[in-house]
Amino acid sequence: MRVLAAMSGGVDSAVAAALAVEAGHDVVGVHMALSRNRDQFRTGSRGCCSIEDAGDARRAADVLGIPYYVWDLSERFEDTVVADFLSEYEAGRTPNPCVRCNEHIKFEALLDKATALGFDAVATGHYAQIESREVALPGGGRRTVRELHRSPNDAKDQSYVLAVAGPERLARAMFPLGGFASKDEVRAEAARRGLSVSAKPDSYDICFVADGDTRGFLQSRLGSRPGSVVDVSGAVVGEHDGAYAFTVGQRRGLALGRPAADGKARYVVDVQPATNTVVVGPAELLSVDRIAGEKALWFDGVLPPVEPSPSLPNPLVEPVETPAAVVPSADEWFDAEVQVRAHGAPVPARVRSIARPAGAYGDGIPDGERPASAADGSDPSAPAMEIELTGAPLRGVAPGQSVVVYSGTRVLGQATVSRAWRAPAPR
């Protein structure tokens, strides 16, 4: 196969490219230039896609003996990932830029360009696994279904941020590091192959906020917007320079001038962009046991076909029969696990797919009476999902976060949190 290897300049993507070459594929390396600032440099372990990273990727490609190019995707990155980051915070939501980068850049812009140039697949250094199996079609015959699974390396697993790419795009993806159980194994593989990035530090935090100052970045783009911090009774307890810089569950940086009556720590429990207000309260108000997700997508073999009707969107998945354990009817609850943070622990839940307008979530609560934890940016015309946690409540779930549904290691589906309901306080 002709394979385009996305080379970030780190050890993971370099080893992924090396393994693709070793497997006999015709490999071409590409580094994505995502920063508009051509003089941007990496700050220790912060940031990525810098000048140094492009040089490291080139040296790795030279060692592997493969062609190497730099593709300028900075405008697309700014118009999608960065723009989404700013607009979501401005709307009182909590975005995940890594999820959006996978959605709009790696598995849209990069993959589409690779396909147009005749490549069969894109190989990346993500820690996840793709497994294939044959399924029977309703009208006869069989076809291959590709499933996304967790990596055996729990500390580095990236199936959470990959789920947004969906089954069709992941069908043209390769994750050569899927079977590695630890980062040390990958570094050892790089050293064995003479790749100079074998000891290079991992990048972390938000790549386009290289100094780690997210609040400063937001203020530089959105400006100062002074407002009030209030407690749950509505009493003003502090001031802020912009509600957009706060997220549900936040404790640090509140600068409250008045302590709580009980002396306990207070957390952000709501962000209200319409009034530029940040609401703080006790930790128990952060616990939620029900979640609604918008823009839901499901992987092959998870749901049966949804019968179209004038009030419903198009079917969520193609008709397919599968021996998998999870095949509920439309609107039927099924048991699974859900994860709301990239490295958060999965928790047991009941989940169902819904493709109905807002106000028909099956709980009998009118939209105006829903105790949403923050601003509602849901799209009532998009497929959605409902989640009821069946174990311990989750803390600090905020609209804008990605929620991924699992069955064991297998990814079943993904959505963006639009609402969260507080769990009853323990007695």
Side-chain angles (χ1 to χ4, degrees):
M1 289 198 305
R2 293 194 68 213
V3 174
L4 186 76
M7 303 183 71
S8 67
V11 61
D12 294 328
S13 60
V15 172
L19 293 173
V21 171
E22 188 175 80
H25 300 301
D26 178 10
V27 180
V28 173
V30 165
H31 177 81
M32 293 178 289
L34 303 181
S35 173
R36 286 183 170 179
N37 180 6
R38 296 296 182 266
D39 295 326
Q40 176 179 313
F41 285 87
R42 184 183 179 96
T43 306
S45 296
R46 296 185 185 273
C48 70
C49 309
S50 66
I51 293 174
E52 295 97 324
D53 293 318
D56 288 340
R58 177 177 293 279
R59 283 184 285 276
D62 288 343
V63 171
L64 299 177
I66 61 174
Y68 171 82
Y69 300 93
V70 175
W71 287 358
D72 185 355
L73 299 178
S74 59
E75 185 173 346
R76 181 70 173 270
F77 185 80
E78 179 74 23
D79 291 345
T80 55
V81 179
V82 178
D84 175 83
F85 184 80
L86 295 170
S87 64
E88 287 288 271
Y89 268 113
E90 194 170 22
R93 292 156 64 91
T94 303
N96 186 318
C98 293
V99 170
R100 297 297 159 239
C101 185
N102 282 320
E103 178 183 14
H104 296 299
I105 303 301
K106 295 184 178 73
F107 296 100
E108 187 173 287
L110 181 71
L111 184 58
D112 288 351
K113 187 171 182 178
T115 301
L117 292 173
F119 288 93
D120 302 300
V122 168
T124 72
H126 286 102
Y127 287 81
Q129 298 186 94
I130 293 178
E131 297 183 6
S132 300
R133 60 184 172 84
E134 294 291 318
V135 298
L137 296 173
R142 303 180 70 81
R143 73 180 177 93
T144 300
V145 169
R146 286 167 58 92
E147 300 174 346
L148 177 63
H149 285 258
R150 291 187 185 276
S151 163
N153 183 349
D154 291 336
K156 299 291 291 184
D157 173 58
Q158 292 172 295
S159 59
Y160 172 89
V161 296
L162 290 168
V164 72
E168 292 184 5
R169 294 191 175 279
L170 289 180
R172 291 178 286 157
M174 294 174 56
F175 305 133
L177 304 188
F180 285 82
S182 74
K183 185 63 174 273
D184 289 341
E185 292 180 13
V186 176
R187 292 191 181 282
E189 188 73 17
R192 184 178 70 81
R193 296 172 181 273
L195 297 170
S196 61
V197 292
S198 61
K200 185 175 180 177
D202 289 345
S203 61
Y204 63 91
D205 288 339
I206 302 167
C207 67
F208 53 88
V209 186
D211 62 1
D213 183 8
T214 301
R215 179 176 294 188
F217 177 83
L218 291 170
Q219 191 169 60
S220 71
R221 293 296 190 96
L222 301 177
S224 178
R225 302 179 188 178
S228 298
V229 179
V230 304
D231 63 19
V232 290
S233 72
V236 176
V237 294
E239 304 294 331
H240 63 74
D241 287 330
Y244 55 73
F246 296 84
T247 185
V248 171
Q250 180 177 335
R251 177 183 176 184
R252 296 182 178 180
L254 300 182
L256 302 180
R258 186 169 127 192
D262 59 7
K264 293 183 179 179
R266 286 176 291 191
Y267 301 78
V268 175
V269 297
D270 200 2
V271 179
Q272 300 172 351
T275 59
N276 195 30
T277 302
V278 176
V279 183
V280 297
E284 52 263 30
L285 293 183
L286 293 175
S287 295
V288 303
D289 61 1
R290 296 175 57 230
I291 300 169
E294 63 172 334
K295 302 175 184 175
L297 63 84
W298 299 94
F299 281 75
D300 280 352
V302 175
L303 298 176
V306 178
E307 293 297 329
S309 75
S311 61
L312 297 179
N314 292 329
L316 300 180
V317 295
E318 296 178 23
V320 60
E321 294 177 358
T322 169
V326 182
V327 190
S329 299
D331 292 327
E332 179 181 329
W333 293 97
F334 62 93
D335 292 328
E337 301 88 45
V338 299
Q339 185 172 326
V340 296
R341 293 178 179 84
H343 298 292
V347 297
R350 294 197 315 148
V351 182
R352 68 172 178 170
S353 168
I354 54 175
R356 293 183 284 177
Y361 283 89
D363 56 10
I365 303 174
D367 279 352
E369 298 177 17
R370 292 176 179 274
S373 62
D376 179 12
S378 62
D379 176 0
S381 67
M385 68 170 66
E386 269 191 307
I387 298 167
E388 289 186 355
L389 304 183
T390 54
L394 283 169
R395 277 188 53 169
V397 179
Q401 288 180 301
S402 180
V403 56
V404 178
V405 183
Y406 290 87
S407 176
T409 64
R410 177 188 172 200
V411 172
L412 304 181
Q414 186 269 354
T416 300
V417 174
S418 58
R419 298 180 175 97
W421 290 264
R422 296 188 180 107
R427 296 182 178 179

